[in-house]
Amino acid sequence: MPAIVARNLTKRYGRALAVDGASFEIGRGELVGFLGPNGAGKTTTLRMLAGLIRPTAGEGRVLDQRVPGPALRRVGTMIEEPSFYPYMTGRDNLRYAARLHGGVKAQRIDEVLDFVKLDRASDKRVKAYSQGMRQRLGLARSLLWSPDVLLLDEPTNGLDPVGIAEIRENLRAVAAQGVTVLVSSHILAEIEKLVDRILAIDHGRLVYDGSLDALVRRLDADAITYHLRATEGPGLLTALRELGLEPVAEGDLGARVTLPPADADALVARLVGAGVTVFEARRQVDDLEGAYLRLVRGDGRPS
Amino acid sequence: MTAFWNVVAAEAFKLVRRRRVYVLAGLWWLLLPSLVLIVGRVLVSNLAASFANEAGGVDVLVQTLASPFGIARIGVVGPAYVSPTFYVIVVAALAAVLIGEERSHKMWKTVLVAQPSRPAVLAGKLVAAMLAVGVLLGGALVSGVAFGAIGTLFLPTTFAGEWGGLLRTYLLQWAFSGALVAFAFLMLYLARNVAVGMILVFFLPGLLEALYSIYAAVVGFQPINRFNVFLQGIRLRQLLEDLPTYFFSANVYAPARAPVRELTAAFTEAAGADGLDIGGLIGANITLERAVWVVAGYALLCLGLLAWRFVRADVD
């Protein structure tokens, strides 16, 4: 049984079509990225799934129940920038939400604050919180009643790289507990390290549903660039040349190499087989970003 | 029912963390009775030994105003006689915390996910507001008695008074405040920001009533124009002439203003048939029995509109 189902989900504001017949299913425990440029319809779709707005047509189902409905009690959300009562402390904001939902033990508040590393700042008023602290408190609140489904709308918005990495780690930990996570972003690089599957939306229409790798292949990316670092730079360069590639040195220990997508998966294994100890292999984001841009611009829209 | 009580508990939790609630309580529970005690003390100091008190008139006045019963009575009557009334200020402030700020703090998307049952959310917030009004009114009663008790130490006052009637007045005014709460919730929910909502709560009823008064004064209800001929024809003229007795602000404070009725009746009688109707001017002529129905009508109208908008609205 899927955790989230959208069937022909449509939202119209007057003559403007915000979401145009989106249909997808997300299985239990999946961590899925919801990708699209600003104004593509991501937030509207998430709001419909969270029961905050009613679809003009179609339906959203969460945990096999139509939304809005009782199943939303098992959903945690962070839609756009998280909002709080600024005159309350972070802990009191969580206490308020816990009372509103019901059935949340006081100990759970400490657990979620500890999980997002806000336990020390929890007794400060929220108006004194930084953007990053607010984002983390928002995530803590969405986890308060141990939801089965998490709907997160750009949870890394406005965060510095450290904050983004922390949120990413938190989400991985949540997903590892079997929670279904649908996380939206307009920046591919932010979620490509987090999710295996993406839903891409543009102008209200779902334009892609599948894995990141398949997206790159499907859009016929000519080549993928990898940035590699090994314990011995010269050995790395030599091994790459022996594999028929044309590496460019990057510092003492690194190299950049461009290769066909079909060969990319086996690259590290082949280097290890050649006796090279690779401690970093990073795909150049531009390739994926380029593929994504071609997708949303319509050049390579899947049939 | 669990969802409803969860909302009541959460909103009560929020209210006790809002400083303005304590400011309102301070004004009502401390400032008002303190001022009355000071007035009582000034009256006794300046007039008790003068000719004005030869027949004991000053003692009676001080007992009426500054005794435990007197101060407790002023605690319910006084707030209905300022403009905007203290009742409407209290209710608007509570409604701003409970429903107005949800929009300004963008909290609806949080509230309605934590508690997806919208009827429970609306009912819980309304009940939390009524509980808060009840606590503030109850506090005014208790503080009035406490300050009055202190006053008996240095003023010629006793605990005498018709306490049963006073308790009934407090209870009735609390119940009547339900219409005020419903109206304030509706205005603050419909208004795009809290300040506009509060201005509507403070002044919209008065504005509509003033417009009517201007119309009545300028045009009158004489059958000199086609409009009034038409109204006469469908027997609505009498209703229009009686309209002021259906005004929101005239009825919603009827219990609190009732204790003043006897006093104004005596003044009006003394002034004779051609004298000024003081009771009518200060809204003390509305009978409680009819005010119950009028206020219930306003409450149902506001609640109906509010529920209709709230339950089906999209959250920004």
Side-chain angles (χ1 to χ4, degrees):
Chain A
M1 181 182 66
I4 302 171
V5 177
R7 285 191 194 130
N8 195 31
L9 212 49
T10 302
K11 183 65 183 179
R12 187 181 281 282
Y13 292 105
R15 297 176 70 181
L17 198 55
V19 177
D20 185 7
S23 296
F24 55 84
E25 289 189 1
I26 297 173
R28 291 198 177 218
E30 267 195 277
L31 207 167
V32 177
F34 195 27
L35 204 58
N38 289 328
K42 302 185 297 294
T43 301
T44 306
T45 305
L46 290 176
R47 280 179 187 274
M48 284 191 278
L49 291 172
L52 296 173
I53 58 177
R54 288 170 189 273
T56 310
E59 68 167 359
R61 297 184 75 83
V62 171
L63 302 169
D64 211 28
Q65 290 181 46
R66 191 170 183 156
V67 288
L72 290 173
R73 286 181 55 78
R74 293 158 66 193
V75 175
T77 65
M78 192 161 85
I79 306 285
E80 292 181 316
E81 190 181 333
S83 53
F84 304 96
Y85 297 114
Y87 54 86
M88 283 192 206
T89 64
R91 183 182 294 276
D92 278 350
N93 268 284
L94 296 190
R95 281 182 183 150
Y96 169 78
R99 279 173 168 77
L100 204 54
H101 185 274
V104 179
K105 290 180 180 165
Q107 183 194 347
R108 178 66 183 159
I109 292 172
D110 292 326
E111 285 173 14
V112 293
L113 283 169
D114 188 44
F115 179 70
V116 299
K117 300 186 180 78
L118 264 184
D119 40 338
R120 282 188 176 180
S122 62
D123 293 322
K124 279 185 187 171
R125 289 192 179 188
V126 167
K127 62 184 171 189
Y129 276 26
S130 67
Q131 172 80 7
M133 289 162 81
R134 284 168 166 264
Q135 295 287 107
R136 282 189 279 158
L137 187 63
L139 183 61
R141 185 172 56 197
S142 69
L143 296 171
L144 203 51
W145 40 88
S146 305
D148 295 319
V149 172
L150 259 186
L151 303 173
L152 304 173
D153 188 16
E154 313 221 4
T156 55
N157 226 2
L159 295 185
D160 58 22
V162 177
I164 291 172
E166 282 178 0
I167 292 275
R168 200 182 290 141
E169 281 170 23
N170 287 338
L171 291 183
R172 275 206 199 96
V174 168
Q177 292 165 13
V179 177
T180 306
V181 183
L182 177 59
V183 54
S184 85
S185 178
H186 64 279
I187 302 169
L188 180 56
E190 279 184 7
I191 57 171
E192 65 133 332
K193 292 173 187 165
L194 182 65
V195 302
D196 295 322
R197 176 186 166 196
I198 62 164
L199 302 168
I201 189 169
D202 186 38
H203 291 99
R205 293 181 67 88
L206 203 64
V207 293
Y208 182 76
D209 178 358
S211 71
L212 283 169
D213 291 340
L215 172 63
V216 175
R217 291 197 188 101
R218 193 167 205 168
L219 293 172
D220 296 327
D222 298 331
I224 290 177
T225 301
Y226 267 92
H227 297 268
L228 302 160
R229 282 164 71 81
T231 49
E232 285 185 29
L236 174 65
L237 290 169
T238 307
L240 286 168
R241 286 190 191 106
E242 284 173 0
L243 292 173
L245 301 171
E246 297 174 3
V248 177
E250 286 187 330
D252 293 341
L253 303 177
R256 185 180 75 234
V257 65
T258 301
L259 69 168
D263 297 341
D265 293 344
L267 177 63
V268 174
R270 290 169 72 187
L271 286 171
V272 171
V276 178
T277 307
V278 178
F279 63 81
E280 183 182 334
R282 181 168 49 86
R283 185 166 61 183
Q284 187 163 305
V285 173
D286 290 355
D287 294 333
L288 205 51
E289 200 74 41
Y292 165 61
L293 287 173
R294 285 200 295 281
L295 177 73
V296 297
R297 283 171 184 165
D299 307 354
R301 182 165 294 184
S303 56
Chain B
M1 279 308 274
T2 311
F4 164 75
W5 288 116
N6 287 343
V7 178
V8 174
E11 297 306 321
F13 177 84
K14 188 166 74 183
L15 279 174
V16 298
R17 274 155 184 78
R18 205 66 171 111
R19 198 179 303 160
R20 75 176 62 157
V21 177
Y22 296 95
V23 173
L24 293 171
L27 289 172
W28 207 345
W29 298 354
L30 302 177
L31 186 67
L32 182 63
S34 303
L35 287 175
V36 176
L37 271 188
I38 290 167
V39 169
R41 180 67 188 153
V42 168
L43 284 173
V44 169
S45 303
N46 292 299
L47 298 175
S50 74
F51 73 93
N53 199 25
E54 279 177 6
V58 174
D59 290 346
V60 171
L61 184 60
V62 172
Q63 170 70 21
T64 304
L65 290 177
S67 66
F69 179 80
I71 297 179
R73 185 168 56 186
I74 285 173
V76 67
V77 173
Y81 281 112
V82 281
S83 186
T85 67
F86 191 66
Y87 285 114
V88 85
I89 292 171
V90 166
V91 168
L94 293 172
V97 174
L98 292 171
I99 202 161
E101 289 179 357
E102 308 296 31
R103 190 195 293 270
S104 58
H105 293 319
K106 297 184 177 178
M107 282 297 288
W108 282 125
K109 63 187 180 188
T110 299
V111 169
L112 293 176
V113 168
Q115 184 46 262
S117 168
R118 293 193 185 196
V121 168
L122 185 58
K125 282 175 176 284
L126 284 162
V127 167
M130 285 305 290
L131 288 176
V133 172
V135 168
L136 288 169
L137 261 170
L141 175 63
V142 171
S143 82
V145 173
F147 273 81
I150 294 168
T152 58
L153 301 176
F154 55 89
L155 294 173
T157 54
T158 66
F159 278 86
E162 198 202 334
W163 289 99
L166 185 62
L167 274 176
R168 181 171 166 268
T169 302
Y170 267 91
L171 282 172
L172 274 174
Q173 188 54 53
W174 173 74
F176 272 50
S177 299
L180 211 48
V181 167
F183 173 67
F185 266 54
L186 179 65
M187 291 298 113
L188 278 149
Y189 182 70
L190 294 180
R192 282 274 149 187
N193 72 51
V194 176
V196 172
M198 290 187 81
I199 288 169
L200 285 173
V201 176
F202 289 160
F203 300 114
L204 186 64
L207 180 70
L208 294 177
E209 290 157 17
L211 286 175
Y212 168 83
S213 302
I214 291 167
Y215 172 79
V218 174
V219 180
F221 294 111
Q222 299 307 310
I224 53 169
N225 60 33
R226 288 177 187 176
F227 182 59
N228 279 327
V229 169
F230 171 72
L231 292 177
Q232 185 88 4
I234 60 170
R235 297 173 185 276
L236 271 178
R237 188 182 148 199
Q238 188 59 44
L239 180 65
L240 266 181
E241 287 183 1
D242 290 344
L243 205 56
T245 61
Y246 293 95
F247 280 170
F248 183 68
S249 47
N251 284 278
V252 81
Y253 309 115
R257 288 173 176 175
V260 185
R261 190 180 302 135
E262 286 177 21
L263 186 67
T264 57
F267 273 116
T268 306
E269 194 179 319
D274 297 329
L276 196 61
D277 178 12
I278 298 168
L281 281 178
I282 61 174
N285 282 354
I286 305 290
T287 62
L288 272 179
E289 291 72 19
R290 206 181 62 170
V292 168
W293 294 106
V294 174
V295 166
Y298 277 113
L300 284 176
L301 178 69
C302 292
L303 288 177
L305 284 171
L306 180 63
W308 177 71
R309 278 298 293 144
F310 182 76
V311 171
R312 56 204 291 279
D314 283 350
V315 174
D316 295 334

